[in-house]
Structures are given as structure tokens and as C-alpha cells.
Amino acid sequence: MPMPKRTPLKSTTPETLQVLAALERKVLWLASWMIHNANHLRDNADGLKVGGHQASSASLATIMTALYFDVLRPHDRVAVKPHASPNFHAIQYLLGKQTRERLEAFRGYKGAQSYPSRTKDADDVDFSTGSVGLGVAQTLFSSLTQDYVRAHGWDLDRPKGRMVALVGDAELDEGNIFEALLEGWKQGLRNCWWIIDYNRQSLDAVVREGLWARYEQLFNNFGWKVVILKYGSLQEAAFKEPGGETLRKWIDNCPNQLYSALVFAGGAAWRKRLNDEIGDQGDVSRLIEKRSDTELAALMNNLGGHDMPTVLDAFHNADSEQPTCFICYTVKGFGLPFAGHKDNHAGLMTPQQMDTYRQAMGVRPGHEWDKFEGLNLPAERLQSFLDRVPFAAGGPRRLSAPTIDVPDELPVTIQPVMSTQTGFGAILNEIGRNDSDFARHIVTTSPDVTVSTNLGPWVNRRGLFARQAMADTFKSERIPSTFTWEFSPKGQHIELGIAEMNLFILLSALGLSHSINGERLLPIGTLYDPFIARGLDALNYACYQDARFILAATPSGITLAGEGGAHQSIAEPLIGIAQDGLASFEPAYVDELAVIMGWAFSYIQKNGDLSSSETNWLRDETGGSVYLRLSTRPIEQMKRPITPELRQQIVDGAYWQRKPGPNCQVLVAYTGAVAPEAIEAVGLMAEDRRDVGLLAVTSADRLNAGWAAAQRARERGLVRARSHIERLLADVPSHSGIVTVLDGHPATLAWLGAVAGHRTRALGVEHFGQTGSLAELYRHYGIDANAIIAAAQTIVPGRPIRHLKALP
Ligand SMILES: Cc1ncc(C[n+]2csc(CCOP(=O)(O)OP(=O)(O)O)c2C)c(N)n1
Ligand SMILES: [Mg+2]
């Protein structure tokens, strides 16, 4: 394998190398000890394994020491391989940014987190990781976001940062990484480093042979520079000895499994194997013989990713903006007793092994957490080095940005008959008309469904983003088209290829811009509702790291009728309820949507305290992201004034479209596009029954969250706590029945019956896949007016139903 040529290292002095070697030892020790302490020395009363990854951490100890203590600058940002979290916390501890208490509580309540977490850790995690692959892609999209922000004239007084991912080699099996690579190539990615911890082991076993060559080709194809760190400096020196070439060839041809097994077995095993295979070849025999078992093992373990000079050399020489992939050969469990063993992923050192390791590290009992214990350099020298580490020299790593003023009302011309999707496009089109600060900070994005989710008018006004301008040839050729497709550095729409994973990770990056770049963006992403599932883990990831964005998902449900089949969505309203950090809405009318969007633009900017509001028991001051489930179904709009009370109720999740009277037997609670069916059913039932109610539910999610919070508050003694839905249902007679209906899973609203103990029948969609007209599908799945009336009749029998339409 030809090695890339590199110019000799200039910047690192022998003194620095000495200090870095000591710190590397300490990082590895602290990471191992932290895990050991959590598993063996803490009171773990619940009998569960605490876990932690000593082997995976060891694999990256050299690389992370080099990066954090020497290479990185304050404006660089890092996604650390999830199971190298202990290294990260150990490094932050040495830099004075993590407490001993939290290390002692590693994986415990409020302790340092198992996997680096922006929201739960206290030591300045740049990007959360945990679900492998996502943090890696996050660095790519954060780099694009940095370019976007700077192209718009913001954040220019700070140097550009490099977005760095520390990647497990098996992490590269995750498809989202390849989706991101292709997108990065399209968007002209730069300033992004992916450092592959090529230990040739995954969780279960040793990986396939020759993966590095696939990676190399792959990254080259996407315009990346590839730097391979295979041999350490000891090995390079040995290759220059007589017989060295033979040794190199043997290493190159050695299968991954055998190499790992010999690393585990140690010096004597290396000697036997090498002697058996190449030992009869004069020069190389001498090369082997002149080394003790320990020296031989050190030589064979001296892969590029564990050799500080090699690692520093590679990083310091990668000074162009070209995205760069470093393939670093490493040993999983390097320096620990289970190094190289295929079962070491979750392996923990036994107390005896730990004791031996402690002695080898020169750490006295009782001094395990001391920063410089057992290091062969004076503490003052180490401390003064740490005090000057460039990465830690900047101010706080969490930046902030002022809140952007949102207009009190978002104007929109409401047509007599209109869908929420059309309304969404119209609202953005209106915002796009003027050049307010608010409009300038909006950035939209979509995975190839810009036009079909109605972002077209906005994009016509604001243009597409690219670092290099690109004209719309259809326009210059004077071929009529509804949409102008012109790219420029000032454009405000980022067009993605069809990969929903990429959409969510880009939203995650755009939605953290205030904290990463110090410039706030108001991101809006659009996609088809069913394809939320395609990127769901990435959506969860974005919410977990508290990125802020608005998601408009449309079309949704079975309401897309003829489009139907595989495009129908059922489970998404339940995702909307269950997803932490995401407030979900499904309005029926465009005036509701305008209210919700106006609120959403403020909500995504909030960052206040955790206490709940006394009115709705929601923690609105903490803010979050927003999911709008929209529809293409044109429905008749209501002409009505939006009073402040109505506005608040729409945002809180429900309002009486027809308040039930004291003799109410039945009320219908609906969400979204089935509003006409609910209205029709209520109208028909009202001919026979008195005081029928109609509850418009704009957000099952917020109603449910408020209800749960108010119950908790009462259980804690706040006896007067009442949520919005409890207040709405307070006057409904207890014998009334509730029929709930939506174009989505019936469980979304079924819980309404439990609020005040009303008998309830929940209608919705449980099966999918049939195409047809709306009327056919609503009848087929049982969410039309007939179904509502029949359900009401069953739970609260009234007079014989005269109004049921004839069934086909
Ligand atoms: C999406 C996802 N699937 C599965 C896992 C469980 N898991 C954690 S680490 C790991 C293997 C990682 O191997 P590699 O990336 O090579 O890291 P190493 O420990 O070898 O450094 C797996 C399967 C996960 N964290 N995320
Ligand atoms: Mg691995």
C-alpha cells in the first residue's frame, strides 16, 4: 500500500511530544478508571450492569489527546464517537472543564453521560452522539451551515471552524453516512474532517478485510482527500532496517483477525508467528531476534493511530479546506489487557487486571483521580501546558444569538376553500415579500419536495443557496416555468437530494446555529408526512440535541386519496405526541395555521426556565421544535375573527367549535383534515340530539402534555392545577359520550375519555395501502360522517338514526 507523502513535522517540539505522551497516558487511565469506578466501586443497587467501553476509548486515546491538547482551535467543533465518551470527559477534566464528581458519577444520575450529550453533559459537548452515524453526518451539515451563515454576511469576525468527526470503523456501515457524503459533494463541502478509528473491530467481531481500500475510493469519489495512517514511527524505523521490507509485506498481508489475535496474545505469540512465517529469511530474523518480547509487541502494536508524531504530522499537514478523511489504524483496547480481543467491545477489566494496570501507571491507591499522578513530568510543567492549550483558550464554547422579532400576526389571504398546505405556502410567500430581519433569518430546506410541499413561491422570492451562483437556464432560454431555480450565496433555500435523514440532520445543524455560529437561523424543513419515518432516528437526534426548527409535513394520512398506497401515514400523530422536544400540531384551517406558525417562530427561539405555565401546564418558556402535520385537502374555511382567547386556545391545543350545552349526550372531537366530516356528523346528530358539541383539536400533543403535567402537579400538592383540556371538558355532563376522529391512528385522541371519565369511541386509521377517492377511503377506513354517527349511536344510544347515508 503506497503511503501518502507528507512534509516533515515542523510544529511539534520534543518537549511538547513528551507532555502529550504523558497526557495520553493520563487520558487512557482516567477513561478506564472512570468506567471501572462506575462498575465496581459505586453502589449499584439495582443489579444492572453499568457498562462503558474501555476498549473503544483506548482505541482513540492517542488521537483525541493529539486533537484536544494540540491540534484543535476554539472555533473547531467535534462529534466524538459515542463510546469514546470517557476520553472526552477525561480530557475536559484535565482542562478544568469537568468535575471529579461528575466523573465519579459517570453513567449515573446527573453524572458524565455514557455518550457525549449537548443537553445532559455539563462539559461543553459540541455535538451529541449515541446512535452511530448521525454525529458523523452532523459535522458535514454543520460545515454547510457555517458556509451558509458566512455567505449571508454573519459571523465573519470569527475564523472558520473545522467540523471534525471521530468515527468508528463499523460506524461507516450506517447508510446515513453515505447519504450525507453525496449531499456534501453536491453542496461543495469544505472544512470537514472525518477521522476513522480503524481498529478493524465492530461490536460483535472483526470487520471484513480491505475495507480501507473501499473507503479510500469512496471518499476520493466524493472529492475528499484521504490520508492513511497505517504504520507508526517505530514501525517506519524498523522497515528501514535490513529485512524491514519483508516485515512490512508481512504486516500488509496479515488478515485483520490474525493481527487482532496476535495483538491480544502478545510478544511471545508475535515471535512464534513471525518466525514460523518469515523467520528463515536472514535479515528479518535478526530484526525479530534483537527485540525482546515486550519490544516486539510494542513494535507490532505501533500502528499509525497510536503513534503521536505520526498523528500530529497528519493533522498539522492537513491545512487545506478540502474535506479530509483520515484512516487511522488502531488497536481496540490499546494498552489494556484485552487489546485486540474480538469480544472486547463491552469488556471490562477485572479488579485484578485494574490493579495491575494501576501499578503499571504508577498510580497510588487513593490517588486515582489526581490529575498528574504517576506521570514522569513535573506537575507545574503539565499544568502550565494545559493552561495554554489552544482549544481551551477561547471563551465559552456555547455561543448565543439575540432573539429575532416575530410579527404579532402572520398575514395571509384566506380563500373560501383552501388546504393547510396551500395556506403554508401562502403564509411563507407573504413573509418572503418583505426584507425584514425576520424574513432574512428564515432558511428553508426540503429533500426534493420543495415544489410539491408548496415552498415554491417562497423560493421564487428568496432564491436557492449555493456558494457559487448558478443561473436558471430555463429562465435564460425564456422557457416558461412557474418556478425560478436560481442559486446564489444569498439564497435562502437549501435544496437537498431525496434523503430524509439528510433533511433532519441539516435541520439539526441549522437549528443549532445560534449556539455553534452565534447567528440564529429560523429553519423550516418540508417533507411528505409518511417519510418522517425514513429519517425518524435523525429527527429524534436533532430533538435530543435541542436543535430548533419547524417541520412542515405534507401531505399526510389517507387524505392524499389517489396518491395513496405507500404514501399514506398513520403513526405520525403518535410520533408527534411521543417525540420529546417537538410540539406537534395538526390544524384544519388556514387561520389556525397562521396563528400556530406565528407562535412557532417564537417558540423555536425560547430558552427559558423549566417551570410550567399556570394556564396550560406546558413548559413553553423552554421552547423546542415544531411539527406541523398538513394536508392537501381543500376545505371550506370559516370567516371568523381570531380573538386573543381563540388564538391562545389554538396554540394550547383545542377550542370549542360548538360548545356543548348542559344536556349534551355526545360530542365529537376531531383533528385536521376530517373537519368537514366531523361538522357534517354533528349537524346531522343535532337534528335528533340536544347540545351536541364539536371540539376542534389543533394539537393532541400539547393537550396531552398539559394534562399529564397538571396531573403531576396535583399529585405534588398543587391541588388547583388544571390543564387546558380539563377546563374544556369540565362542564361536559359525565354521561356524555365522546367520538374522536382523525386521519391518523385513533390512539392519538382516544385518551380524551380518560380526562374526565367520558365514555369514548376513537375513530381513525389503523390499516393502510388502499387508493381511492376521499369519500371511498373515509368510508373504507371508517372516518366519515356515517362512521362518526354510528359510533355515537353505539356509545350513547339515541333515537333511531334516520340520517345515516345508505352504505354501498
Ligand atoms: C444506530 C446504532 N446501532 C447500534 C448501536 C450499538 N453499537 C454501539 S457501538 C457499535 C459498534 C461500533 O463499532 P465501531 O464503530 O467500529 O467502534 P469501536 O468500538 O470499534 O471503536 C454498535 C453496533 C448504536 N449505538 N447505534
Ligand atoms: Mg471499530
Side-chain angles (χ1 to χ4, degrees), residues 175-189:
N176 83 276
I177 290 187
F178 303 97
E179 297 176 12
L181 271 176
L182 182 54
E183 195 59 53
W185 172 78
K186 289 184 202 164
Q187 308 275 352
L189 174 70

Side-chain angles (χ1 to χ4, degrees), residues 462-475:
R462 314 299 293 202
L464 293 112
F465 170 72
R467 275 196 290 121
Q468 254 94 44
M470 220 180 337
D472 182 345
T473 309
F474 277 75
K475 197 172 162 196

Side-chain angles (χ1 to χ4, degrees), residues 56 81 83 130-132 168-171 174 197 199 201-203 332 345:
S56 296
K81 179 184 80 167
H83 26 303
S131 174
V132 297
D169 46 359
E171 205 167 353
E174 286 289 357
D197 179 3
N199 59 27
Q201 284 185 243
S202 60
L203 191 159
K332 193 155 169 172
H345 185 78

Side-chain angles (χ1 to χ4, degrees), residues 397-727:
R397 294 189 65 70
R398 295 286 164 101
L399 307 178
S400 60
T403 305
I404 294 152
D405 284 341
V406 178
D408 291 338
E409 278 180 35
L410 298 181
V412 56
T413 308
I414 297 181
Q415 312 292 339
V417 177
M418 199 174 186
S419 73
T420 46
Q421 175 175 312
T422 311
F424 169 74
I427 291 167
L428 273 181
N429 186 32
E430 285 302 319
I431 297 173
R433 271 179 203 284
N434 53 65
D435 201 29
S436 62
D437 200 38
F438 168 58
R440 271 197 304 277
H441 282 83
I442 292 176
V443 50
T444 57
T445 178
S446 185
D448 202 26
V449 289
T450 298
V451 170
S452 51
T453 55
N454 254 23
L455 272 179
W458 160 265
V459 175
N460 277 348
R461 291 194 187 283
R462 314 299 293 202
L464 293 112
F465 170 72
R467 275 196 290 121
Q468 254 94 44
M470 220 180 337
D472 182 345
T473 309
F474 277 75
K475 197 172 162 196
S476 50
E477 294 294 319
R478 298 210 175 82
I479 300 172
S481 161
T482 322
F483 301 105
T484 311
W485 212 244
E486 252 164 17
F487 293 82
S488 84
K490 294 283 166 256
Q492 283 181 249
H493 174 77
I494 302 177
E495 178 73 5
L496 294 172
I498 329 165
E500 286 74 13
M501 274 281 177
N502 283 342
L503 170 73
F504 289 121
I505 305 177
L506 175 58
L507 287 173
S508 174
L510 295 169
L512 285 175
S513 180
H514 52 284
S515 182
I516 301 286
N517 302 305
E519 187 64 41
R520 190 181 295 279
L521 298 174
L522 303 173
I524 302 178
T526 69
L527 85 170
Y528 294 176
D529 196 52
F531 304 132
I532 284 182
R534 177 70 79 103
L536 190 52
D537 197 29
L539 169 61
N540 181 51
Y541 172 70
C543 292
Y544 175 57
Q545 53 184 350
D546 204 22
R548 301 301 182 81
F549 51 87
I550 296 173
L551 188 66
T554 177
S556 59
I558 57 169
T559 301
L560 33 73
E563 181 75 13
H567 280 42
Q568 294 168 347
S569 63
I570 294 179
E572 276 64 14
L574 293 176
I575 292 170
I577 288 183
Q579 179 60 55
D580 193 12
L582 192 68
S584 307
F585 294 85
E586 186 167 355
Y589 300 100
V590 174
D591 57 1
E592 294 171 358
L593 177 65
V595 167
I596 293 164
M597 283 179 69
W599 174 86
F601 280 117
S602 296
Y603 182 71
I604 62 171
Q605 303 189 58
K606 295 237 150 104
N607 193 19
D609 63 30
L610 281 170
S611 54
S612 307
S613 126
E614 297 280 320
T615 52
N616 56 17
W617 288 89
L618 294 167
R619 298 183 312 189
D620 283 358
E621 287 312 307
T622 57
S625 288
V626 175
Y627 160 32
L628 309 170
R629 189 173 191 248
L630 306 181
S631 173
T632 39
R633 181 184 189 188
I635 66 172
E636 201 178 318
Q637 302 290 306
M638 284 186 278
K639 282 207 183 70
R640 55 179 169 181
I642 299 279
T643 61
E645 294 74 37
L646 180 56
R647 176 179 295 274
Q648 186 60 47
Q649 298 208 1
I650 288 170
V651 166
D652 286 351
Y655 62 91
W656 286 117
Q657 201 162 320
R658 178 178 167 144
K659 197 165 175 4
N663 297 310
C664 168
Q665 297 172 327
V666 171
L667 67 92
V668 176
Y670 78 91
T671 277
V674 295
E677 282 63 35
I679 293 168
E680 184 189 354
V682 166
L684 290 169
M685 289 193 288
E687 292 178 17
D688 294 326
R689 298 175 185 265
R690 291 208 280 164
D691 293 351
V692 182
L694 181 62
L695 187 68
V697 177
T698 47
S699 172
D701 175 31
R702 284 170 58 80
L703 276 191
N704 185 271
W707 178 48
Q711 290 177 93
R712 268 195 307 274
R714 289 198 292 273
E715 287 150 17
R716 289 175 189 162
L718 290 166
V719 288
R720 269 195 276 279
R722 285 290 173 282
S723 62
H724 182 50
I725 187 63
E726 287 169 316
R727 261 189 250 111

